[in-house]
Amino acid sequence: MDLVLRARRVITPEGEVAADVGVLDGRIAAVEPRIGGAARVVELAPDEVLLPGLVDSHVHVNDPGRDEWEGFETATRAAAAGGVTTIVDMPLNSLPPTTDVAALEVKRAAARGRAHVDVGFWGGIVPGNLADLRPLREAGVFGFKCFLVHSGVDEFPPVGPDQLRAALAEAGALVVVHAEDPHSVTEAGGSYAGFLASRPHEAESRAIATVVDAARETGARVHVLHLSSARGLEVLRAARRDGVAVTAETCPHYLTFTAEEIADGATEFKCCPPIREARNRELLWRGLADGDVDVVVSDHSPCTPELKAGDFASAWGGIASLQLGLPAVWTQARRRGHALTDVVRWMASGPADLVGLPHKGRIAPGADADLCAFAPDEAFVVDRARLRHRNPVTPYHGRPLAGVVRRTWLRGHEVDGERPRGRLLSGGGA
């Protein structure tokens, strides 16, 4: 073995065990009670748990074109600091958007040699680019994203129901959908109450029904992004009972914050769809526990501080949380009786399986040696000045959280934030 990591607590697909994890040529070669003869042994502290590196399939890096919002160097440093070792970058907010192969190559060129974790890419579905979907798939995107409502940037317009069905029939890969019904979304007011009222629960449940109907008709595989309204859960349950291939995700901010605590002017909390009421948050947690929500990912959507200025009508809608997802979810999960095995399923193996990376997100022989040392009982207060993403804007500032990522390894090499070791991944694995 090149490296052995020794821990009293290791989260494996079979549960939590005390084990040595042996690494050879960047992959996990063995998980055994004791492994000898290693070139190097790292013994975790008694209060640390060895987790697989998390997989975040919903990240907006915005690079190139809007790298003043975020860039590959800063985003992937933040990811590693949060125990995330693989991200899949969304096709919009960068310029050009990833809606054809030429744009994908521009994106890859921006990331090459600058990533501290592994990076894959989504392609985009917009009106008029059906002919680009197969070439994008063959070029290695992990699937395709579309919006049913305005995306926030004019260069990535939404699709209607007929365009969605046509894209599902053509894509030949997973299609992930921002599911808000444009006919249910109204002009936002400047207060949080006004913003919340402009994007009601029905906007999500109606849009999810549209997605489900299109998937049922075409037989395609679809995924509902950033579910914020628990009213969508029944639509998802019914679809699955009917055999529709639909999955769903939610995000740490929907599992943490509540509308009741958001003050007018606190635009760092603005996101689309919005953070909803406390009762809704508990229903999302129940849906997660019951398996109606499949994964938890960040929807890391950063911007400059200037774009967060103003009120809830004018500020950019997006929350930057790539570094904080694990402690944010763990803080809430353990209060509700969940274990780290659950968190790993939601945030590591689940997203890896969603995008087709069976060698990521698990501590098992044959998997990449992407790992993190996590101290679940250490508490801290979020200080935006200590975050690694480009702009220190976050609703988590000043919030106490439980769980500290102390070290992260990518294919057996500790991520130091100095030498970028991340690879660019292609759909189906790398």
Side-chain angles (χ1 to χ4, degrees):
M1 301 293 174
D2 302 319
L3 170 69
V4 166
L5 294 110
R6 184 165 292 152
R8 299 180 186 183
R9 300 175 65 189
V10 179
I11 305 299
T12 74
E14 290 73 40
E16 182 179 308
V17 298
D20 284 5
V21 176
V23 178
L24 183 64
D25 296 329
R27 297 242 174 171
I28 296 172
V31 182
E32 298 175 2
R34 183 64 58 163
I35 299 173
R40 187 162 62 94
V41 176
V42 173
E43 189 157 350
L44 269 64
D47 65 336
E48 294 177 344
V49 184
L50 189 65
L51 306 183
L54 305 188
V55 176
D56 193 334
S57 56
H58 194 153
V59 177
H60 296 268
V61 178
N62 310 329
D63 190 3
R66 291 191 176 101
D67 58 347
E68 72 275 14
W69 295 18
E70 186 67 282
F72 281 103
E73 291 179 8
T74 50
T76 56
R77 282 194 189 101
V84 177
T85 51
T86 302
I87 64 170
V88 188
D89 179 47
M90 283 294 171
L92 73 155
N93 299 342
S94 56
L95 293 170
T98 314
T99 54
D100 57 34
V101 172
L104 175 64
E105 291 309 315
V106 171
K107 179 74 72 84
R108 283 178 167 155
R112 192 169 288 118
R114 298 171 61 212
H116 294 272
V117 303
D118 287 354
V119 180
F121 303 97
W122 293 105
I125 295 170
V126 295
N129 84 323
L130 278 181
D132 293 298
L133 302 188
R134 179 174 292 183
L136 275 166
R137 187 179 72 238
E138 292 172 350
V141 298
F142 280 82
F144 300 95
K145 179 181 186 177
C146 65
F147 279 73
L148 302 186
V149 70
H150 193 277
S151 69
V153 290
D154 292 338
E155 69 273 5
F156 200 94
V159 297
D162 291 342
Q163 294 167 321
L164 174 63
R165 284 192 293 272
L168 291 181
E170 180 66 24
L174 177 65
V175 173
V176 302
V177 184
H178 182 123
E180 288 183 285
D181 174 46
H183 305 293
S184 304
V185 173
T186 60
E187 188 172 346
S191 67
Y192 192 73
F195 171 64
L196 186 59
S198 75
R199 306 184 93 99
H201 289 272
E202 292 75 19
E204 286 190 78
S205 55
R206 288 172 182 166
I208 293 169
T210 298
V211 173
V212 164
D213 288 345
R216 182 183 286 111
E217 181 179 325
T218 60
R221 181 174 164 232
V222 295
H223 178 74
V224 174
L225 296 168
H226 45 49
L227 181 72
S228 84
S229 171
R231 294 186 195 174
L233 294 173
E234 185 49 46
V235 184
L236 293 168
R237 292 187 198 105
R240 287 165 169 166
R241 287 195 296 266
D242 292 344
V244 178
V246 59
T247 51
E249 70 187 37
T250 194
C251 305
H253 40 278
Y254 301 129
L255 298 171
T256 300
F257 303 117
T258 64
E260 292 88 344
E261 69 185 283
I262 300 175
D264 291 344
T267 54
E268 64 272 20
F269 288 89
K270 183 180 177 180
C271 56
C272 300
I275 294 163
R276 303 191 187 275
E277 306 82 1
R279 181 178 181 277
N280 178 82
R281 179 186 65 177
E282 297 314 307
L283 292 173
L284 285 178
W285 272 105
R286 186 179 303 171
L288 195 56
D290 292 344
D292 297 318
V293 179
D294 301 272
V295 298
V296 180
V297 292
S298 70
D299 188 11
H300 178 73
S301 186
C303 66
T304 61
E306 293 76 19
L307 287 173
K308 275 294 189 184
D311 61 18
F312 279 96
S314 60
W316 174 258
I319 287 177
S321 64
L322 188 52
Q323 185 173 334
L324 298 171
L326 176 56
V329 172
W330 171 238
T331 299
Q332 299 293 326
R334 69 176 189 170
R335 291 175 183 171
R336 293 164 176 83
H338 295 291
L340 280 171
T341 49
D342 299 318
V343 174
V344 164
R345 185 175 70 254
W346 300 329
M347 302 186 76
S349 59
D353 292 342
L354 176 75
V355 299
L357 289 172
H359 60 295
K360 295 288 190 183
R362 65 209 78 219
I363 298 178
D368 283 359
D370 300 345
L371 305 158
C372 78
F374 183 62
D377 297 322
E378 183 177 347
F380 71 105
V381 175
V382 178
D383 178 357
R384 59 187 168 220
R386 298 176 65 86
L387 299 179
R388 304 289 182 88
H389 61 264
R390 176 148 293 167
N391 292 293
V393 180
T394 176
Y396 290 94
H397 177 67
R399 193 173 189 93
L401 296 177
V404 172
V405 174
R406 292 183 178 160
R407 303 173 76 177
T408 300
W409 293 266
L410 182 69
R411 283 183 296 277
H413 295 281
E414 187 166 359
V415 181
D416 59 9
E418 299 297 327
R419 179 180 176 183
R421 297 180 180 270
R423 296 177 181 172
L424 306 188
L425 306 179
S426 292

